[in-house]
Amino acid sequence: MPGKVLLGVCGGIAVYKVVSVASGLRRQGIDVQVVMTEAATRLVAPLTFQTLTGNRVYTDIFTTEQPGGVPHITLAQEADLVVIAPATANVIGKLAAGLGDDLLTTVVLATKAPVVLFPAMNVNMFQNPVVQSNLDRLRSFGFEIVAPASGELACGQVGQGRLPEPEHVTSWIVDRLARRQDLAPLRFLITAGPTREHIDPVRFLSNPSSGRMGYALAAAAHHRGGNVTLVSGPTELPPPAGVKLINVTSARQMRDAVMEHLPESDVVIKAAAVADYRPAQVEAQKIKKSEHGETITLEMVRNPDILAEIGAQKGQRLLVGFAAETRNLMENAAAKLQAKHLDMIVANDVREAGSGFAVATNRVRILTNDGHCQELPLGPKEQVADWILDAVRKVWQSRND
Ligand code: PMT
């Protein structure tokens, strides 16, 4: 597994932790090439990284010390993974704008390798809408962003903005290297978000799904070499880079899009929160209070159960459902696993703090149809997505060995 990591180091106070990351990676046999910004060299001497990695440290785009090569192109081409830590607001802004005014930003522009950013800065800077919008923009281009940790910051304030501890960053990078291309050439069909069931042209029934869990799965499957089609209900999220996105509104539209793309899929993951019922009749005009009394009665009819329909004709596909429950989590999840002919179900207690709808984190249990249950800790949805995909890969491999 060991590979080649290009570690971009910027001028944030957390740079001292990155020194340990560089040595931790080297200890695992990973070849670490370090590129430092000018600001970073004011906080830690390049010689420190050079000694710990055993490699020359690059700081200058205009170097004449590399005969026979243009450093930003050579470094960009040789890396299996580019990691920027700490990623400051400045480098995030420059990358989001496509600037290349130093060695690190030109390497990032020139590389074809996945680029991972570990933002670390003051909490107000991190929450600044400009920084958040730059991060969204980078995500939409396929950059991977690892959320900073919360706690006491170097400036004395408390909040989100800390670089995670070096062991955590190191193991994240090691895992990421191990997962590169591990899902190629699988074809994924993933659903995300809520559905909207219209009552009249201006009103609908829906649920709080933000789409984050499904989008995280789609982005992770793509980053790991999968070919991904994402069928999404209405969300505020930017389209994930490299993924074929199909936007739908209602459960019936989602059903049609999923069934159309089912033939070209190996793995189906249904993270969408699909409405089980819809109004029997959609009014053509806005319903007026003046035309009704104090109460109004809606007659509802069943929507198609998309997952059950796929289960009945899944063939060799691996079928993963979700179960969003507020009680009897495991019993209900197990019943859905069986009734819908699933290979795996992700059980999600949506009443638990930090879990379920419209939050950045999730805690799930994965139940497979051989009765095995894996309990996972609370984690960012991006991390949970990788764990779910690890489970998918394991089942797929065991079937095809
Ligand atoms: O989008 P987020 O804000 O990130 O929130 C994530 C989530 C809570 C939506 C997600 O983690 C989750 O639990 N998704 C499943 C929600 C759901 O509808 O669960 P369910 O138990 O009602 O449905 C069981 C399964 O059948 C699901 O895979 C669902 O997609 C599928 N289903 C349900 C009804 C229906 N008519 N057709 C379906 O295919």
Side-chain angles (χ1 to χ4, degrees):
M1 183 275 297
K4 203 160 189 164
V5 168
L6 188 139
L7 187 57
V9 185
C10 305
I13 193 64
V15 68
Y16 74 94
K17 292 184 180 172
V18 181
V19 169
S20 304
V21 172
S23 88
L25 292 173
R26 173 117 191 259
R27 272 201 301 277
Q28 308 247 9
I30 294 164
D31 183 12
V32 185
Q33 299 285 340
V34 174
V35 173
M36 299 178 78
T37 63
E38 206 270 325
T41 63
R42 296 192 186 198
L43 295 161
V44 172
L47 187 58
T48 308
F49 282 108
Q50 188 166 311
T51 309
L52 292 172
T53 61
N55 284 325
R56 174 192 162 180
V57 170
Y58 296 84
T59 54
D60 186 4
I61 195 168
F62 298 112
T63 181
T64 51
E65 290 167 29
Q66 178 140 330
V70 185
H72 66 281
I73 302 298
T74 317
L75 289 165
Q77 282 173 344
E78 288 179 350
D80 294 315
L81 185 67
V82 175
V83 176
I84 304 184
T88 56
N90 184 49
V91 84
I92 290 167
K94 288 202 285 187
L95 293 176
L99 294 181
D101 66 349
D102 61 8
L103 184 57
L104 179 57
T105 47
T106 46
V107 166
V108 173
L109 285 172
T111 194
K112 292 253 182 228
V115 182
V116 182
L117 267 60
F118 283 84
M121 65 196 77
N122 164 271
V123 58
N124 295 340
M125 289 172 78
F126 181 66
Q127 288 172 353
N128 190 305
V130 179
V131 173
Q132 286 301 317
S133 147
N134 285 336
L135 287 171
D136 281 346
R137 186 168 161 76
L138 290 175
R139 269 189 208 98
S140 75
F141 288 125
F143 286 69
E144 295 169 54
I145 317 288
V146 181
S150 294
E152 191 171 342
L153 303 171
C155 57
Q157 275 187 280
V158 174
Q160 191 180 16
R162 283 171 64 86
L163 186 74
E165 292 313 308
E167 320 76 76
H168 180 87
V169 177
T170 307
S171 68
W172 196 99
I173 296 169
V174 170
D175 286 353
R176 182 64 185 84
L177 274 177
R179 286 176 176 136
R180 76 196 127 126
Q181 297 300 311
D182 70 340
L183 297 176
L186 289 183
R187 299 165 302 169
F188 286 82
L189 177 57
I190 298 176
T191 68
T195 64
R196 285 181 184 172
E197 309 301 326
H198 270 272
I199 299 168
D200 70 13
V202 298
R203 300 182 181 95
F204 53 80
L205 298 167
S206 192
N207 60 64
S209 170
S210 62
R212 290 182 79 145
M213 190 67 249
Y215 277 57
L217 280 161
H222 167 67
H223 290 146
R224 294 169 62 168
N227 185 316
V228 184
T229 299
L230 174 64
V231 178
S232 173
T235 78
E236 304 270 298
L237 302 173
V243 165
K244 178 174 177 181
L245 176 66
I246 298 160
N247 288 304
V248 297
T249 302
S250 67
R252 285 185 296 173
Q253 287 170 356
M254 184 170 278
R255 184 245 163 232
D256 290 349
V258 166
M259 296 318 284
E260 185 187 332
H261 290 89
L262 188 63
E264 68 246 21
S265 67
D266 302 308
V267 179
V268 182
I269 308 182
K270 288 224 68 256
V274 187
D276 285 321
Y277 293 89
R278 66 178 185 277
Q281 193 181 328
V282 183
E283 297 296 332
Q285 302 299 331
K286 182 180 173 191
I287 298 171
K288 293 297 219 186
K289 286 195 289 290
S290 55
E291 291 163 12
H292 295 271
E294 283 304 303
T295 59
I296 186 168
T297 304
L298 278 182
E299 194 190 348
M300 307 282 285
V301 293
R302 280 286 292 270
N303 265 330
D305 188 323
I306 310 166
L307 193 55
E309 192 173 339
I310 305 169
Q313 56 182 88
K314 69 177 184 177
Q316 294 307 305
R317 282 175 202 88
L318 200 151
L319 183 53
V320 183
F322 270 69
E325 304 293 343
T326 56
R327 62 184 158 163
N328 302 335
L329 178 67
M330 295 318 290
E331 293 87 326
N332 287 333
K336 282 176 186 172
L337 177 81
Q338 227 186 4
K340 301 191 188 198
H341 305 288
L342 311 180
D343 298 284
M344 185 183 294
I345 193 153
V346 182
N348 204 171
D349 180 345
V350 290
R351 291 237 285 225
E352 194 179 310
S355 205
F357 292 109
V359 285
T361 51
N362 211 357
R363 192 169 92 86
V364 300
R365 294 177 176 88
I366 300 177
L367 191 60
T368 38
N369 64 2
D370 58 4
H372 182 259
C373 178
Q374 187 187 1
E375 282 206 30
L376 293 167
L378 184 73
K381 281 180 175 161
E382 292 75 16
Q383 174 78 75
V384 174
D386 267 326
W387 289 330
I388 294 169
L389 293 173
D390 288 346
V392 165
R393 193 198 54 214
K394 215 167 135 192
V395 173
W396 184 268
Q397 272 176 351
S398 70
R399 262 203 207 165
N400 293 286
D401 271 352

